[in-house]
Amino acid sequence: MKFRSIHKCPPANVGDSVRVTLPDVDRGRVDPRNILFAVVAIENEQYYKLGNKYGTLPQLYTRNQFGVCPKSLIPLDEVVPIEKPLREIAGLISDGSGGQGYKRCSCKGKCDTNRCKCKSSNILCNSKCHGSMPCNNK
């Protein structure tokens, strides 16, 4: 069993780029499913410390929790030593949803004031907000 595990997931080295899969609850529908990290340190030959330009993960990962990329995509000098959780890094990488889902309003009016969530966030209302209701923020 251990022999098969070693051949299926060979050990990674410091400086290797790895791909960590994001849980569904930590990402929006338009956010990436994976995040690239670099192996910063290895503890006890089986626990890996990962980081990228947005921060370093506080928890340690085992080899079966990530996939190694064939090329080194993240240089170690770009890794920030500040520890941040995976959910916060996912929010920084996300395109516009802030990490978990879409921002939308449910206004009954025309979205003229800052009471509208979309207008206060400086984003335009879309079809998910209030359908075909009149809106001045489209």
Side-chain angles (χ1 to χ4, degrees):
M1 184 89 160
K2 187 174 180 181
F3 179 76
R4 185 176 180 185
S5 171
I6 290 171
H7 286 291
K8 185 177 179 183
C9 300
N13 300 318
V14 174
D16 286 350
S17 293
V18 297
R19 176 183 42 90
V20 175
T21 303
L22 279 174
D24 289 338
V25 296
D26 292 337
R27 65 177 194 87
R29 288 183 278 177
V30 296
D31 293 340
R33 295 174 188 247
N34 303 303
I35 297 180
L36 288 177
F37 288 98
V39 176
V40 178
I42 303 172
E43 296 182 13
N44 296 338
E45 298 180 8
Q46 62 182 350
Y47 299 112
Y48 297 88
K49 187 84 168 166
L50 307 177
N52 64 9
K53 65 180 180 179
Y54 298 103
T56 302
L57 297 174
Q59 70 272 18
L60 298 174
Y61 282 81
T62 57
R63 178 56 192 91
N64 64 342
Q65 293 177 307
F66 59 82
V68 178
C69 298
K71 294 184 180 179
S72 181
L73 303 171
I74 300 174
L76 284 177
D77 58 348
E78 287 184 8
V79 175
V80 176
I82 299 170
E83 288 192 352
K84 292 182 183 176
L86 183 62
R87 182 175 286 181
E88 187 175 336
I89 292 175
L92 294 172
I93 291 175
S94 72
D95 293 332
S97 63
Q100 291 179 309
Y102 292 103
K103 290 188 180 181
R104 61 181 176 203
C105 68
S106 57
C107 298
K108 304 276 189 263
K110 298 187 181 217
C111 301
D112 287 334
T113 63
N114 279 338
R115 287 180 61 190
C116 171
K117 285 183 189 177
C118 296
K119 187 164 178 85
S120 64
S121 300
N122 291 327
I123 59 173
L124 297 176
C125 291
N126 58 25
S127 61
K128 302 244 184 247
C129 292
H130 39 73
S132 62
M133 299 279 295
C135 180
N136 292 336
N137 190 29
K138 284 192 178 181

